[in-house]
């Protein structure tokens, strides 16, 4: 007599689908609307990075749907493409940061630009590290899934920050929208607590570390250490 398989949770799919409006609204005023009007001008790497960002959301959604459809073999095959995609996103993200830093330095000559570039490099390292950890723990479904959720929450930070263009009257938009971006983590944490009676170690330790890194970026972006690091990194990049 065959046993019924347990139903797959809809929670990861809901989170993945919720990421779409966050990204689309966030980048609407700085990318989609200017692109549609023909006023958006940027190097090719910006287009590549933007495309890879949305391919990540598409792949994440598709991978969750494959698991729900019990197509685990296809999920695993495509997962390696996701690892390569994450590498491309991290590399192109740093490249976009180089372009933005040099553009802003030419316009303002402010040391704060170096600190902002340091933050970009850190963010790409955080994202890449979380994806690498997800690949390594791919046989541990609970950890694998949560690591990818963390990576996506971290990745959506720039989209959230651009919501300041949609809500221009929000005070201290950098702080407010950065906090909102990390507060999203509360949703899966509460879900863990309600369904399992505990918070999974991935959220407890790596989630806390991710939030700590983001808070450090806010507090230290104009510090001497951040500025020095950004200047050193930028001067070492030949292109």
């Amino acid at each position: 007599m065959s046993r019924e398989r347990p139903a797959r949770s809809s929670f990861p799919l809901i989170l993945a689908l919720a990421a779409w409006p966050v990204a689309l609204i966030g980048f609407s005023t700085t990318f989609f609307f200017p692109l549609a009007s023909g006023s958006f001008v940027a190097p090719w790497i910006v287009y590549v990075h933007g495309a890879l960002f949305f391919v990540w959301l598409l792949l994440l959604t598709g991978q969750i749907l494959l698991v729900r459809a019990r197509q685990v073999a296809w999920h695993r095959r495509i997962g390696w493409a996701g690892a390569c995609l994450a590498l491309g996103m991290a590399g192109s993200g740093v490249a976009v940061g180089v372009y933005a830093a040099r553009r802003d330095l030419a316009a303002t000559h402010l040391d704060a630009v170096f600190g902002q570039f340091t933050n970009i490099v850190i963010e790409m390292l955080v994202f890449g590290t979380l994806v690498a950890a997800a690949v390594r723990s791919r046989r541990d479904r609970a950890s694998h899934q949560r690591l990818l959720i963390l990576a996506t929450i971290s990745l959506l930070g720039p989209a959230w920050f651009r919501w300041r263009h949609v809500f221009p009257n929000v005070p201290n938009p950098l702080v407010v929208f950065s906090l909102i971006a990390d507060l999203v983590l509360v949703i899966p944490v509460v879900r863990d607590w309600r369904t399992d009676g505990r918070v999974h170690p991935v959220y407890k330790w790596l989630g806390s570390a991710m939030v700590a890194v983001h808070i450090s970026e806010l507090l230290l972006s104009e510090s001497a250490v951040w500025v020095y690091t950004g200047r050193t990194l930028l001067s070492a990049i030949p292109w």
Side-chain angles (χ1 to χ4, degrees):
M1 182 177 179
S2 62
R3 297 180 180 177
E4 290 186 7
R5 294 179 178 179
R8 302 285 185 177
S9 171
S10 298
F11 185 74
L13 180 61
I14 292 171
L15 284 183
L17 293 176
W20 283 93
V22 172
L24 291 171
I25 293 171
F27 290 109
S28 61
T29 57
T30 60
F31 182 71
F32 291 115
F33 292 160
L35 187 65
S37 66
S39 61
F40 185 80
V41 178
W44 62 270
I45 192 63
V46 175
Y47 294 91
V48 170
H49 182 66
L52 292 179
F53 177 92
F54 282 96
V55 170
W56 174 266
L57 294 184
L58 183 64
L59 181 65
L60 179 70
T61 307
Q63 285 287 73
I64 293 170
L65 288 172
L66 283 174
V67 171
R68 286 178 61 81
R70 304 189 188 279
Q71 299 295 324
V72 178
W74 276 105
H75 174 86
R76 288 173 178 167
R77 292 190 192 103
I78 296 173
W80 288 109
C84 295
L85 173 63
L87 184 62
M89 290 177 66
S92 64
V94 173
V96 170
V98 171
Y99 156 71
R102 289 179 174 160
R103 177 200 62 197
D104 294 345
L105 281 171
T108 67
H109 304 287
L110 295 175
D111 282 347
V113 174
F114 294 115
Q116 292 165 6
F117 179 65
T118 300
N119 283 346
I120 291 173
V121 174
I122 291 172
E123 280 303 299
M124 292 301 98
L125 286 173
V126 168
F127 172 73
T129 300
L130 288 170
V131 174
V135 172
R136 183 177 177 83
S137 65
R138 61 191 180 277
R139 298 188 184 280
D140 178 354
R141 180 184 167 194
S143 296
H144 176 76
Q145 183 184 89
R146 286 164 175 81
L147 284 162
L148 291 176
I149 288 173
L150 275 185
T152 304
I153 289 174
S154 182
L155 190 67
L156 285 172
W160 277 113
F161 181 51
R162 282 163 177 79
W163 277 55
R164 71 190 190 277
H165 300 295
V166 182
F167 300 100
N169 295 323
V170 172
N172 299 317
L174 175 60
V175 174
V176 170
F177 287 110
S178 295
L179 290 176
I180 290 174
D182 279 343
L183 280 172
V184 172
L185 179 58
V186 172
I187 298 172
V189 165
V190 170
R191 195 259 180 180
D192 266 11
W193 188 266
R194 293 188 63 182
T195 57
D196 302 332
R198 68 183 183 96
V199 179
H200 193 278
V202 165
Y203 290 150
K204 184 184 294 185
W205 303 115
L206 294 183
S208 298
M210 181 188 76
V211 173
V213 168
H214 292 165
I215 292 174
S216 298
E217 290 172 0
L218 285 174
L219 297 177
L220 300 174
S221 62
E222 296 186 17
S223 68
V225 173
W226 250 241
V227 170
Y228 175 80
T229 302
R231 181 183 284 112
T232 302
L233 291 172
L234 201 58
S235 64
I237 296 174
W239 35 268

